[in-house]
């Protein structure tokens, strides 16, 4: 048994009392054998949920339909991607065309104003009308491009809507196919699960029985050993028995743990006046006192 190493005199006497009681009063002395418990592996089983069972059954009887469905979905998605890409191209081209028209007419307007400014006609009604005509033509061109873009996007949007409808139908069409075959497979899977669960439960029960037998054997062995120990230690222990049990070793270790925290001379003077230590150290008291006397010499 491990005892606390004291750092104060009060703790020292408390620990000495504990050691004394452990070896001389309770005289338990016996500690059960640490025999290793038998630990056998177990099998675990996680049953499929009803959804998982149905999914498995569908896969078993509908492989061909699944492949067809996935191919159809892939083809539709391919068309959808192409239409979305076409939308992006139409929008990008329209933006480029509008920017090109804007740059072209803005440059023409700038040139008209520059030339008018050179001849002092920047604010004449002729120049104002000319600029207005150019702005009008620019706006007409932009409106024409925007109208065509919107028309093209509306057409693609309509095509996308149709494709999304096809996609929805493709996802649901095969879900009701071969329902009788699916249910038959569900029944087979459930029966197989129940059988496997019974076999695993039987195996695990056998493992538990083996472990319990081992545990009972350990308890019986310790009980026999403890009875034998009690027979041997029914009388008070002799000094030799206390030495063999480690009583004096623990007492000396406890006393030294405290006095080693003090300067040697102080430890020698203090221990020399502690007559109560004789109760615990007995014949070893003088030896310990002498040891600290040597240390402070």
């Amino acid at each position: 048994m491990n005892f606390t190493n004291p750092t104060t005199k009060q703790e020292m006497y408390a620990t000495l009392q504990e050691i004394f009681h452990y070896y001389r009063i309770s005289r338990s002395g016996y500690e059960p054998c640490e025999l290793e418990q038998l630990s056998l592996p177990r099998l675990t089983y996680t049953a499929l949920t009803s959804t998982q069972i149905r999914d498995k059954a569908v896969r078993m009887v509908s492989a061909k339909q699944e492949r067809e469905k996935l191919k159809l979905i892939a083809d539709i998605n391919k068309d959808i991607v192409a239409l979305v890409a076409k939308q992006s191209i139409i929008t990008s081209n329209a933006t480029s065309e509008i920017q090109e028209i804007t740059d072209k007419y803005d440059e023409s307007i700038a040139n008209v104003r520059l030339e008018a400014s050179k001849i002092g006609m920047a604010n004449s009604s002729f120049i104002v009308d000319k600029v207005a005509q150019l702005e009008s033509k620019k706006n007409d061109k932009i409106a024409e491009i925007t109208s065509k873009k919107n028309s093209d996007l509306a057409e693609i949007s309509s095509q996308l809507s149709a494709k999304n409808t096809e996609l929805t139908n493709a996802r649901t069409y095969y879900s009701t196919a071969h329902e009788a075959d699916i249910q038959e497979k569900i029944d087979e899977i459930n029966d197989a699960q129940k059988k496997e669960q019974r076999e695993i439960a039987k195996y695990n029960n056998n493992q538990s029985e083996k472990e319990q037998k081992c545990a009972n054997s350990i308890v019986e062995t310790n009980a026999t050993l403890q009875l034998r120990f009690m027979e041997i230690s029914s009388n008070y222990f002799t000094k030799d028995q206390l030495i063999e049990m480690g009583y004096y070793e623990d007492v000396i270790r406890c006393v030294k743990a405290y006095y080693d925290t003090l300067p040697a001379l102080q430890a020698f003077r203090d221990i020399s006046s502690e007559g109560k230590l004789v109760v615990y150290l007995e014949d070893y008291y003088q030896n310990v006192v002498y040891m600290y006397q040597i240390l402070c010499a």
Side-chain angles (χ1 to χ4, degrees), residues 178-239:
H178 303 288
E179 187 61 34
D181 291 339
I182 291 172
Q183 188 58 51
E184 181 180 354
K185 287 297 179 183
I186 288 175
D187 293 339
E188 290 179 8
I189 294 170
N190 280 326
D191 291 342
Q193 283 198 147
K194 290 176 182 178
K195 180 180 178 181
E196 188 172 358
Q197 286 173 327
R198 288 194 299 268
E199 292 175 351
I200 289 176
K202 182 179 179 180
Y203 172 83
N204 288 338
N205 286 337
N206 288 336
Q207 298 294 78
S208 297
E209 289 177 4
K210 292 176 183 178
E211 290 177 348
Q212 188 60 50
K213 287 180 181 178
C214 178
N216 292 339
S217 176
I218 291 173
V219 171
E220 183 178 350
T221 299
N222 272 317
T224 301
L225 292 174
Q226 186 170 14
L227 286 173
R228 180 59 182 157
F229 178 84
M230 291 172 65
E231 292 174 2
I232 295 172
S233 61
S234 59
N235 298 318
Y236 288 105
F237 296 116
T238 64
K239 183 175 181 179

Side-chain angles (χ1 to χ4, degrees), residues 7 46 59 96 98 115 149 164 234 236-237 267 275 287:
T7 57
T46 303
R59 290 194 299 272
S96 298
I98 289 173
E115 292 301 323
K149 178 195 74 172
N164 282 317
S234 59
Y236 288 105
F237 296 116
N287 294 338

Side-chain angles (χ1 to χ4, degrees), residues 80-224:
I80 290 174
V81 169
L83 288 171
V84 171
K86 191 173 181 180
Q87 277 183 324
S88 178
I89 292 171
I90 289 172
T91 301
S92 177
N93 289 343
T95 301
S96 298
E97 289 179 23
I98 289 173
Q99 186 62 50
E100 184 180 349
I101 291 296
T102 300
D103 292 342
K104 176 181 176 181
Y105 278 92
D106 286 349
E107 183 181 359
S108 296
I109 291 170
N111 288 334
V112 168
R113 285 175 173 167
L114 178 61
E115 292 301 323
S117 178
K118 289 180 179 179
I119 60 177
M121 296 179 62
N123 296 319
S124 69
S125 59
F126 174 78
I127 296 302
V128 171
D129 290 342
K130 183 66 174 176
V131 169
Q133 290 175 4
L134 291 172
E135 287 283 0
S136 178
K137 287 181 180 180
K138 179 181 75 172
N139 292 334
D140 289 343
K141 290 285 186 180
I142 291 174
E144 181 182 349
I145 294 170
T146 301
S147 177
K148 186 177 185 307
K149 178 195 74 172
N150 290 339
S151 176
D152 292 343
L153 290 178
E155 175 62 26
I156 293 176
S157 179
S158 176
Q159 294 175 22
L160 279 172
S161 178
K163 287 296 178 181
N164 282 317
T165 299
E166 289 181 31
L167 187 62
T168 300
N169 292 336
R171 294 184 187 279
T172 58
Y173 173 75
Y174 292 100
S175 63
T176 57
H178 303 288
E179 187 61 34
D181 291 339
I182 291 172
Q183 188 58 51
E184 181 180 354
K185 287 297 179 183
I186 288 175
D187 293 339
E188 290 179 8
I189 294 170
N190 280 326
D191 291 342
Q193 283 198 147
K194 290 176 182 178
K195 180 180 178 181
E196 188 172 358
Q197 286 173 327
R198 288 194 299 268
E199 292 175 351
I200 289 176
K202 182 179 179 180
Y203 172 83
N204 288 338
N205 286 337
N206 288 336
Q207 298 294 78
S208 297
E209 289 177 4
K210 292 176 183 178
E211 290 177 348
Q212 188 60 50
K213 287 180 181 178
C214 178
N216 292 339
S217 176
I218 291 173
V219 171
E220 183 178 350
T221 299
N222 272 317
T224 301

Side-chain angles (χ1 to χ4, degrees), residues 33-76:
C33 295
E34 293 295 332
L35 300 176
E36 185 175 354
Q37 295 285 348
L38 182 63
S39 179
L40 298 174
R42 299 292 197 278
L43 295 178
T44 58
Y45 181 76
T46 303
L48 296 175
T49 66
S50 58
T51 300
Q52 290 172 327
I53 291 173
R54 180 170 181 81
D55 289 345
K56 183 176 181 180
V58 168
R59 290 194 299 272
M60 294 172 68
V61 301
S62 303
K64 180 175 181 293
Q65 286 75 18
E66 187 69 16
R67 285 193 295 271
E68 290 176 354
K69 180 180 71 173
L70 293 177
K71 183 179 183 305
L72 178 58
I73 290 174
D75 290 342
I76 296 172

